[in-house]
Amino acid sequence: MNKTAFSMPPNLNPDQASPDWMNKGDNAWQLTAATLVGLQSIPGLLILYGGSVKKKWAVNSAFMVLYAFACVILCWAAWGYRFSFGDKMIPFWGKPNFALDGHYLMEQTFLGNSPTRQWSGALLGRMNFYAWMLFVPLWLTFSYTITAFSIWCSDGFLAKMGIIDYSGGYVIHLSSGVAGFTAAYWVGPRLTQDRQRFPPNNILLMLFGAGLLWIGWTGFNGGDPYVVSVDASLAVINTHICTAASLLTWLLLDIVFFRKPSVIGAVQGMITGLVCITPAAGVVQGWAAVIMGLCSGSIPWFTMMVIHKRSEMFQKVDDTMAVLHTHAIAGSLGGILSGIFAVPKLNRLFYGTSGHYIGLFYGLATKRTHDGFRQIGVQLIGVVFVVVLNIVSTSIICVVVQIFMPLRMSEEEMEIGDEAAHGEEAYAIWGDEEEKLDPKYELAKSKAGGQMEMV
């Protein structure tokens, strides 16, 4: 038989730029998925937060997202990646090292057929921006990397136990939700008038940001198999099914109990759906995604609208964007439901082995009851570990940052907002200049300048 019949087209032949281990299709999807994930933050989350807060905090809220995005990229490349996925230093942390060397970046990643290079809302309205500048890299270095190594890295102790976290329900959402709530406790509440009335300054912009966040989640969950596969397709469709069910459930509950179809409520339901499906996206069937959406649209709604309002502890902590409910509770819910509905065959597609990766539902159906209950136990251990780690580490970080500068803006700065914090404002509206004649503006601006000198 003529061997030339099996030759590759010239543009697909391996070369120095395209090694024989690299799949061009997989790599193209990873680049696309990474771009979609980037759009979730810039401009998605930036616009969502910028439109969701009072006008006087629009610039500050959006700028916190922009700064975090830039800071995390640099810290991740410089040391965060190797902390999370490098050689084991201790059971829950990798050895610190740079991930910037040209030779290292051109090597095959630990999973998939792509090179290595592919790889806040609770504090709005009162956190000192300079304190935020220190908080972000410290939290990434300690809280996030420890969680990522423990759950995602093959040497991590939770990974060895067989925890299911398909795309970061534990590592990203539960972790950030608990950290945000803890930091909100240390920073303290907003001004009384801001807590009592904090209307969005632009609901249409908020919806635009929410839409980018939702569509960007296609890359967030669909990119996690690191290959173009049926598992990636399943993750994408499950993401949208669960999110739609969650949004509609939250909306119906608002209509039934408050007689109003709230736009803000619909966005909250959208976010809880996205968060809940994240740890399970590629390892559950579509019908399970619907059930998860019903749960994520109702349970966080209940904790936010009923329990939160009746709990003195929750009332003491000023969680501006309700990240405890939309991220911590929804993330925990998704992790637990993953342990119930995970399909053994889909786990094999993603993890490469069945092992103990079996949801309780299928464990009972196949007489692997012990494995099913064990999986629930592992998922619960993961919740406890992430919660305790982030409460402790975030508290330590806040105490350390407070040594160098106040965590909280001054009363004068909080009363004025963006103009005092940044010398800029989101919208120039007729009549605002009269407010700037108030001596409090000059006092707040001078204090902000003094903090900048200290930094």
Side-chain angles (χ1 to χ4, degrees):
M1 187 176 291
N2 188 356
K3 293 183 179 181
T4 59
F6 300 97
S7 62
M8 297 289 289
N11 65 316
L12 295 181
N13 287 329
D15 54 31
Q16 287 185 337
S18 300
D20 55 3
W21 52 259
M22 189 182 81
N23 184 297
K24 290 188 176 184
D26 294 341
N27 194 41
W29 169 234
Q30 286 300 291
L31 288 167
T32 303
T35 302
L36 289 170
V37 173
L39 289 172
Q40 287 183 291
S41 295
I42 308 297
L45 200 60
L46 183 152
I47 296 174
L48 175 62
Y49 281 176
S52 299
V53 298
K54 249 184 176 179
K55 182 179 80 72
K56 70 175 184 177
W57 292 116
V59 171
N60 182 261
S61 302
F63 195 21
M64 288 175 77
V65 176
L66 181 64
Y67 167 78
F69 186 78
C71 182
V72 166
I73 287 176
L74 187 60
C75 294
W76 183 250
W79 63 80
Y81 179 85
R82 300 293 279 271
F83 261 136
S84 302
F85 300 109
D87 298 329
K88 183 173 74 172
M89 179 173 64
I90 52 180
F92 50 83
W93 222 4
K95 293 179 181 179
N97 207 336
F98 290 104
L100 297 170
D101 178 74
H103 176 72
Y104 175 75
L105 291 175
M106 297 299 283
E107 292 178 350
Q108 186 174 6
T109 188
F110 67 92
L111 184 65
N113 299 312
S114 302
T116 299
R117 58 187 168 186
Q118 302 300 53
W119 261 78
S120 28
L123 305 169
L124 299 180
R126 80 276 197 191
M127 187 172 189
N128 183 353
F129 191 82
Y130 304 115
W132 176 249
M133 292 174 69
L134 292 179
F135 179 87
V136 170
L138 288 173
W139 185 80
L140 170 75
T141 301
F142 295 99
S143 301
Y144 178 83
T145 55
I146 291 174
T147 308
F149 185 90
S150 301
I151 292 176
W152 280 345
C153 187
S154 58
D155 285 329
F157 80 99
L158 285 170
K160 289 181 177 178
M161 291 175 67
I163 193 169
I164 297 174
D165 188 16
Y166 181 86
S167 193
Y170 286 97
V171 175
I172 298 172
H173 300 294
L174 174 56
S175 184
S176 62
V178 174
F181 191 76
T182 304
Y185 166 80
W186 285 98
V187 174
R190 289 164 290 171
L191 294 176
T192 302
Q193 61 264 33
D194 280 349
R195 292 197 73 179
Q196 292 174 345
R197 179 167 172 74
F198 203 72
N201 71 87
N202 195 318
I203 288 183
L204 291 180
L205 270 183
M206 181 189 74
L207 286 173
F208 180 45
L212 286 171
L213 194 68
W214 184 345
I215 298 304
W217 227 280
T218 296
F220 193 93
N221 287 346
D224 257 314
Y226 312 107
V227 295
V228 179
S229 65
V230 293
D231 196 34
S233 300
L234 179 66
V236 171
I237 190 62
N238 279 344
T239 296
H240 297 304
I241 289 173
C242 178
T243 303
S246 182
L247 186 155
L248 295 175
T249 301
W250 194 296
L251 182 63
L252 288 174
L253 287 171
D254 277 348
I255 292 172
V256 170
F257 289 95
F258 302 119
R259 308 301 182 194
K260 291 288 185 181
S262 169
V263 175
I264 297 174
V267 172
Q268 300 282 33
M270 179 204 82
I271 294 172
T272 56
L274 291 168
V275 171
C276 183
I277 194 61
T278 292
V283 296
V284 300
Q285 300 285 10
W287 60 265
V290 174
I291 295 175
M292 293 181 73
L294 296 174
C295 293
S296 64
S298 56
I299 294 176
W301 181 93
F302 182 76
T303 63
M304 184 188 299
M305 299 300 180
V306 180
I307 296 178
H308 189 104
K309 294 180 179 180
R310 296 180 181 178
S311 169
E312 291 185 10
M313 182 191 73
F314 287 157
Q315 288 295 315
K316 287 179 181 178
V317 180
D318 183 13
D319 180 3
T320 310
M321 302 301 289
V323 297
L324 174 70
H325 306 281
T326 59
H327 287 74
I329 291 175
S332 300
L333 181 64
I336 295 169
L337 292 174
S338 299
I340 294 176
F341 295 124
V343 183
K345 178 181 178 181
L346 298 176
N347 281 321
R348 285 196 297 272
L349 289 177
F350 184 64
Y351 291 104
T353 178
S354 57
H356 295 290
Y357 297 104
I358 181 171
L360 177 60
F361 182 86
Y362 290 91
L364 295 173
T366 59
K367 302 189 185 306
R368 292 176 58 186
T369 306
H370 176 268
D371 287 341
F373 278 107
R374 181 188 181 280
Q375 190 65 57
I376 292 293
V378 173
Q379 300 301 110
L380 291 172
I381 290 172
V383 171
V384 173
F385 171 76
V386 175
V387 170
V388 172
L389 170 66
N390 278 275
I391 289 175
V392 173
S393 61
T394 303
S395 296
I396 293 173
I397 290 170
C398 288
V399 170
V400 170
V401 171
Q402 208 163 23
I403 295 173
F404 298 96
M405 63 187 61
L407 290 171
R408 180 182 172 87
M409 291 182 181
S410 67
E411 296 289 317
E412 293 85 359
E413 288 176 303
M414 288 192 291
E415 188 170 336
I416 295 167
D418 289 336
E419 180 69 19
H422 304 286
E424 299 162 324
E425 57 183 327
Y427 313 107
I429 299 176
W430 180 84
D432 283 356
E433 292 300 321
E434 296 175 5
E435 295 182 4
K436 296 176 187 176
L437 298 176
D438 191 327
K440 291 179 181 178
Y441 269 90
E442 295 304 320
L443 177 62
K445 288 172 71 175
S446 65
K447 285 187 177 182
Q451 287 186 1
M452 189 59 193
E453 290 290 334
M454 183 170 63
V455 173

